[in-house]
Amino acid sequence: MEQIQQENAALVAEGLQYLNQAVANRANYDDAMAYLNLIYRRKADVDYGNNDAVKADVASAKEWSTKAMGTRKENEAKKEKGPGGITMDNSGNLK
């Protein structure tokens, strides 16, 4: 586990930074949320010696998993509604 921690701690930190930035820039980015779930699970591996940190990492992973599923459902519902914004009818008039 020590070797895993040494090899992956920096990668996990970088991944968290960029995925959090992605969600901050696009609040409905469900794929980034799903990856946050996974990277928090890897962070739990890196934090193996600290039980409180591992529990917090697993809780964060579960939270992001739930958010990702909810956001994905919302995004799919929006897709099913069809295009939004300004559209034209068959006569070329704006709706």
Side-chain angles (χ1 to χ4, degrees):
M1 291 300 287
E2 197 64 40
Q3 183 180 359
I4 290 172
Q5 183 181 34
Q6 290 174 358
E7 291 175 359
N8 294 319
L11 295 172
V12 168
E14 182 181 12
L16 283 170
Q17 175 192 347
Y18 288 121
L19 288 168
N20 281 313
Q21 184 179 11
V23 172
N25 288 332
R26 196 170 108 201
N28 65 344
Y29 197 176
D30 56 281
D31 285 338
M33 293 176 190
Y35 282 114
L36 275 163
N37 160 43
L38 297 174
I39 203 155
Y40 270 108
R41 292 182 188 281
R42 293 300 60 90
K43 188 173 183 306
D45 292 341
V46 171
D47 292 339
Y48 73 93
N50 183 344
N51 288 336
D52 292 335
V54 170
K55 287 179 185 177
D57 295 338
V58 171
S60 293
K62 290 178 182 179
E63 182 180 330
W64 280 112
S65 176
T66 302
K67 285 181 184 181
M69 288 188 295
T71 303
R72 182 162 288 141
K73 286 179 184 177
E74 290 173 11
N75 290 343
E76 290 299 320
K78 287 178 186 176
K79 284 181 188 177
E80 290 174 6
K81 280 186 174 181
I86 300 172
T87 58
M88 290 187 173
D89 61 16
N90 292 338
S91 303
N93 298 318
L94 295 177
K95 292 186 193 180

